[in-house]
Amino acid sequence: MAKAPKRPSSRDERGAGGEPHQRSATPLTTNQGVPIADDQNTLRAGVRGPALLEDFHFLEKLTHFDHERIPERIVHARGSAAHGTFVAYKAAGKYTRADFLQSGVETSVFCRFSTVAGGAGSVDTPRDVRGFAVKFYTQEGIFDLVGNNIPVFFVQDAIKFPDFVHAVKMEPDRGFPQNASAHDTFWDFISLAPEALHMVMWAMSDRAIPRSLRMIEGFGVHTFRLVDAKGDATFIKWHWRPTLGMQATTWDEAVKLAGADQDFHRRDLWEAITSGAFPSWELCIQPIPAEDVDDLPYDILDPTKLVPEEDYPLIPIGKMTLNRWPDNFFAETEQVAFHPGHLVPGIEFTNDPLLQGRIFSYTDTQLSRLGGPNFHELPINAPKCPYANFQRDGIKRHTVDKARTNYEPNSLEPAGPRETPTGFASVAESLEGTKIRRRSETFADHHSQARLFYRSQNAVEQRHIQSAIIFELSKVESEAIRTRVLGHLDVIDEGLGAAVAEGLGMTGMADTITTVVGLVDMPPSPALSLLGNAKPTLEGRKLGILIGDDADAAIVTRLKAAAEKAGATAQVVATKINGTLPADHIVAGGPSVLFDVVAIVTGDAGAQALAKMPSAVQWVADAFVHCKVMGVVAAAQPLLDKAHVVADDGVIELGKSVDALFTKAKAGRIWAREDAAPAIKPAKAKPAKR
Ligand code: HDE
């Protein structure tokens, strides 16, 4: 008779490495629900023998793992998202019957921010457009506002989108550069498709290197229509305004942040939300009366054009607050499927040819990304209001439809779903036209609004645009592409063209560009300046305190308290993580690029020691070069000297009070430091009068 198996001794209850098995009230099972006795070792023929094919647990586990990834988004692959709520104010009720825009209605939202060009694992801080997509789970179904942080787009017609995206992404023969527009194919396309120039101006501005996703504006880009209960429609643009105000990094910071913290924006959003500092945005509409449309010097159907706020003011219609980080990145942030065609009654499209193309593309892409037509059943995509129809089956169908009828009209299930007269119905619009492949002549001016944007920037911002273009073109190998771009820059603004040519050593080499139509000089729009509209606040910002080993703990405490009072957070950077004062980073692990404002607190010996550490010297030098307001104690002087810090009104001595530091820092960076040693001189712009 076979011997009964021996009861496991306490020694047998250990895994291969000798570790005790972990115990839990929840049994670990296969996907078929079978409890698993050993999840540490594969089944094998003898302890040193080959694996056995009958190990179904191992096969299931590896098969699932092998398929853990789905195709990443072809654009906007790198993203971070959060749940939140949207509360409507009173104002929109006049324009739309959309239920979620009526006064006081609260709606759950899921909001995903993204970069455009890089892959899902790329860094957070490249020069790039940011996606700003919001899913509203309204009581009348899902409404997706799938926008960007720039109010215009690169191309006018959806048929050019694949070309544009191919040109901006890594070059196909070499597989680089990843997540960067500074290469030949991008500028080749841009120079030959000048409709992109307006957006290029924005992409070369500091808008494309945001400090935080909490500090970007959002735009619906296209003109949409709001429709009221009587069926009257109003053209509108969508705008999101961040409560924390807008802020950008400097280019050098963005580059260094890519190394210091690849997840800089994701971590920033996560830290804010998990600590209860919920970011919020005001949603605004910008109505444009239909009777004005034909007289404007641009076509409101052209997505490469904006509508100046000075001409058509914004109306705040509600507030979004992001207050919950997703439980699972894949299930929510990765699987969320946005679609500009997810509309609710009261909101409608216009004939913008880019928008029209998007209506096709977003469902189509989910078929390959999410594996079939039932992606709306994934919890993150499912409406939170009841929904029912006669669509059935298909790959990955989860709903168990119980009714006998899967068609209508039917008389067998009178309680089944039926049409609602007040449901979504497009506004009646008479249309007549010739079947034709041609753009409207009202789309032909590609330079005037690029000029409008450039001339609406202040001298610092213009200088940043110039140096961004110089940097990008310096990476373009083909001289013919560079000279073509220079020609377009000359048309946009002679000063811009001259400054970029000078920076490249290509003065006098610009191509002559003849525009199809004459330019329209529009008065500058102050609303387009990021710095001009910066908010004097430190709310949501970060103070970095570099301490020497002999730092005065009382000053550090005062700084932390003042930061908290200002709504900011403070972190200590020290030579040791567990030294004389507890620290959040060691010097090499917490470079000053991570902070908005810095303080240096040390005694004499500590300062001497820091002055001998290259990472500490770099910390201070970077803070100064990045125009940050710096609070310093007198003892820090040897370190400041080593870092070439020149005393100016942004270097503030920390005494008994630290208030002066905070007052100064609220006003933003000390841009005059750039003037002291500018790489290039700001070019003179010739703004027209409004
Ligand atoms: Fe997108 N876009 N897009 N786009 N887009 C996608 O959809 C597309 C455009 C935008 O966080 C894709 O699910 C076409 C403008 C955002 O998941 C894809 C055209 C604007 C996101 C797609 C445009 C956007 C996307 C890739 C020209 C600003 C990320 C994966 C006709 C108003 C949403 C996906 C998220 C994503 C197509 C132009 C914004 C392939 C064909 C203009 C924020 O379907």
Side-chain angles (χ1 to χ4, degrees):
M1 204 172 103
K3 258 189 172 172
K6 204 171 70 163
R7 282 184 64 79
S9 69
S10 61
R11 188 183 154 79
D12 292 331
E13 285 197 1
R14 290 169 179 267
E19 314 82 9
H21 286 309
Q22 293 181 315
R23 296 278 174 218
S24 156
T26 314
L28 182 77
T29 73
T30 66
N31 286 336
Q32 307 305 320
V34 178
I36 293 164
D38 184 342
D39 190 38
Q40 317 302 322
N41 304 290
T42 44
L43 189 65
R44 64 198 82 170
V47 288
R48 300 181 66 240
L52 295 179
L53 192 56
E54 69 175 66
D55 188 353
F56 60 86
H57 164 49
F58 167 75
L59 297 185
E60 180 198 81
K61 187 170 174 181
L62 268 276
T63 305
H64 194 276
F65 170 76
D66 292 345
H67 299 269
E68 268 177 14
R69 289 292 168 272
I70 57 175
E72 66 177 37
R73 292 165 174 82
I74 170 64
V75 279
H76 297 268
R78 167 82 186 173
S80 304
H83 294 273
T85 57
F86 175 82
V87 181
Y89 305 155
K90 243 197 199 141
K94 181 174 150 202
Y95 297 94
T96 176
R97 70 180 175 113
D99 164 77
F100 80 105
L101 290 178
Q102 305 309 311
S103 182
V105 175
E106 188 171 333
T107 303
S108 327
V109 296
F110 188 69
C111 174
R112 182 174 181 272
F113 303 102
S114 46
T115 53
V116 178
S122 57
V123 302
D124 273 344
T125 55
R127 175 176 297 286
D128 199 354
V129 180
R130 298 301 186 284
F132 192 136
V134 183
K135 189 174 280 296
F136 295 81
Y137 301 90
T138 92
Q139 286 313 302
E140 293 172 322
I142 301 270
F143 169 59
D144 287 342
L145 183 41
V146 198
N148 281 340
N149 74 329
I150 290 180
V152 289
F153 201 65
F154 288 108
V155 291
Q156 294 174 322
D157 189 313
I159 203 166
K160 296 312 295 169
F161 187 70
D163 299 295
F164 163 71
V165 173
H166 288 169
V168 70
K169 287 190 84 119
M170 61 189 185
E171 298 189 14
D173 56 348
R174 57 207 68 184
F176 62 84
Q178 169 76 205
N179 215 0
S181 51
H183 59 117
D184 284 57
T185 56
F186 174 75
W187 287 96
D188 189 25
F189 180 83
I190 294 310
S191 65
L192 297 170
E195 67 203 67
L197 288 168
H198 182 196
M199 183 147 176
V200 168
M201 289 294 117
W202 285 79
M204 294 301 121
S205 80
D206 294 349
R207 301 260 181 168
I209 42 172
R211 149 70 177 89
S212 163
L213 298 169
R214 299 173 292 137
M215 299 169 200
I216 59 173
E217 290 189 335
F219 302 91
V221 177
H222 317 278
T223 303
F224 283 81
R225 281 185 298 188
L226 293 187
V227 183
D228 67 15
K230 294 194 299 269
D232 291 336
T234 312
F235 292 120
I236 61 115
K237 295 272 191 189
W238 299 106
H239 297 247
W240 290 106
R241 288 279 148 101
T243 315
L244 291 174
M246 276 185 289
Q247 191 177 317
T249 63
T250 67
W251 170 242
D252 190 59
E253 273 180 313
V255 169
K256 289 177 173 158
L257 278 167
D261 186 358
Q262 299 213 7
D263 307 299
F264 184 65
H265 284 153
R266 184 176 291 173
R267 190 188 311 277
D268 169 88
L269 190 63
W270 182 83
E271 278 178 359
I273 292 174
T274 53
S275 69
F278 301 142
S280 60
W281 286 258
E282 211 160 44
L283 179 62
C284 305
I285 51 170
Q286 185 183 24
I288 308 147
E291 55 275 20
D292 292 7
V293 163
D294 292 339
D295 299 326
L296 297 174
Y298 46 83
D299 193 329
I300 63 161
L301 298 185
D302 174 355
T304 66
K305 304 297 185 295
L306 57 80
V307 176
E309 274 175 49
E310 288 77 8
D311 298 341
Y312 296 101
L314 308 195
I315 303 175
I317 61 164
K319 190 171 182 180
M320 171 173 79
T321 307
L322 299 182
N323 55 17
R324 185 165 67 83
W325 193 257
D327 292 318
N328 184 283
F329 184 87
F330 180 82
E332 301 177 89
T333 308
E334 194 58 13
Q335 294 201 115
V336 64
F338 292 97
H339 188 342
H342 290 164
L343 295 184
V344 291
I347 305 177
E348 291 195 31
F349 306 119
T350 57
N351 296 334
D352 173 338
L354 194 72
L355 176 58
Q356 298 276 315
R358 292 178 77 197
I359 302 164
F360 159 73
S361 183
Y362 286 69
T363 309
D364 184 50
T365 208
Q366 306 314 338
L367 297 181
S368 58
R369 254 175 47 72
L370 299 174
N374 288 316
F375 59 87
H376 62 280
E377 295 190 341
L378 292 168
I380 194 66
N381 294 325
K384 293 196 196 298
C385 62
Y387 64 102
N389 56 41
F390 295 97
Q391 293 168 33
R392 292 288 184 274
D393 310 344
I395 200 155
K396 297 186 188 140
R397 183 73 170 180
H398 285 207
T399 309
V400 180
D401 294 296
K402 297 202 175 103
R404 181 178 177 195
T405 54
N406 51 7
Y407 59 90
E408 66 101 24
N410 75 59
S411 61
L412 296 179
E413 309 271 0
R418 295 292 186 270
E419 294 150 331
T420 312
T422 53
F424 190 96
S426 305
V427 158
E429 190 185 359
S430 59
L431 289 174
E432 203 179 316
T434 313
K435 192 197 287 182
I436 194 170
R437 276 188 196 272
R438 198 193 304 155
R439 291 188 204 175
S440 163
E441 277 166 22
T442 52
F443 280 39
D445 174 9
H446 304 318
H447 297 83
S448 297
Q449 286 214 350
R451 175 182 288 181
L452 165 70
F453 178 73
Y454 183 72
R455 292 187 178 173
S456 301
Q457 306 299 296
N458 71 20
V460 172
E461 292 169 320
Q462 290 191 348
R463 186 170 60 216
H464 291 179
I465 294 174
Q466 293 162 15
S467 37
I469 304 177
I470 292 168
F471 168 82
E472 300 256 324
L473 291 183
S474 75
K475 301 283 178 191
V476 170
E477 291 163 15
S478 158
E479 189 177 287
I481 296 175
R482 280 189 254 130
T483 55
R484 208 152 57 221
V485 175
L486 287 175
H488 283 294
L489 297 181
D490 278 347
V491 178
I492 293 170
D493 183 277
E494 276 172 30
L496 170 64
V500 173
E502 222 266 311
L504 290 167
M506 294 181 68
T507 301
M509 292 174 70
D511 288 0
T512 302
I513 300 286
T514 317
T515 59
V516 188
V517 291
L519 272 68
V520 181
D521 256 325
M522 300 172 71
S525 163
L528 301 182
S529 164
L530 187 153
L531 290 177
N533 295 287
K535 213 171 165 181
T537 180
L538 284 178
E539 199 186 338
R541 274 62 171 187
K542 229 178 200 176
L543 166 72
I545 313 170
L546 176 64
I547 59 164
D549 292 346
D550 50 0
D552 181 346
I555 303 183
V556 175
T557 308
R558 276 204 292 279
L559 284 166
K560 285 186 167 177
E564 196 182 333
K565 201 168 136 216
T569 49
Q571 289 192 328
V572 172
V573 181
T575 57
K576 297 192 176 66
I577 202 80
N578 198 22
T580 40
L581 291 175
D584 301 283
H585 305 273
I586 57 165
V587 185
S592 61
V593 290
L594 299 178
F595 308 107
D596 301 287
V597 193
V598 300
I600 301 162
V601 184
T602 179
D604 293 328
Q608 296 291 352
L610 288 172
K612 290 195 188 111
M613 284 175 66
S615 54
V617 176
Q618 188 69 47
W619 200 98
V620 179
D622 270 354
F624 184 73
V625 170
H626 297 148
C627 305
K628 283 173 185 160
V629 174
M630 310 169 74
V632 299
V633 294
Q637 198 57 45
L639 177 60
L640 301 184
D641 291 342
K642 195 78 188 290
H644 302 291
V645 171
V646 183
D648 61 18
D649 67 340
V651 180
I652 291 167
E653 184 146 349
L654 295 172
K656 286 235 155 55
S657 157
V658 294
D659 291 351
L661 170 68
F662 286 83
T663 311
K664 186 71 189 168
K666 279 183 190 164
R669 297 186 197 241
I670 310 298
W671 294 114
R673 285 184 202 152
E674 282 189 345
D675 291 328
I680 41 166
K681 292 256 177 275
K684 285 196 196 86
K686 295 173 281 176
K689 288 208 174 75
R690 177 166 292 282

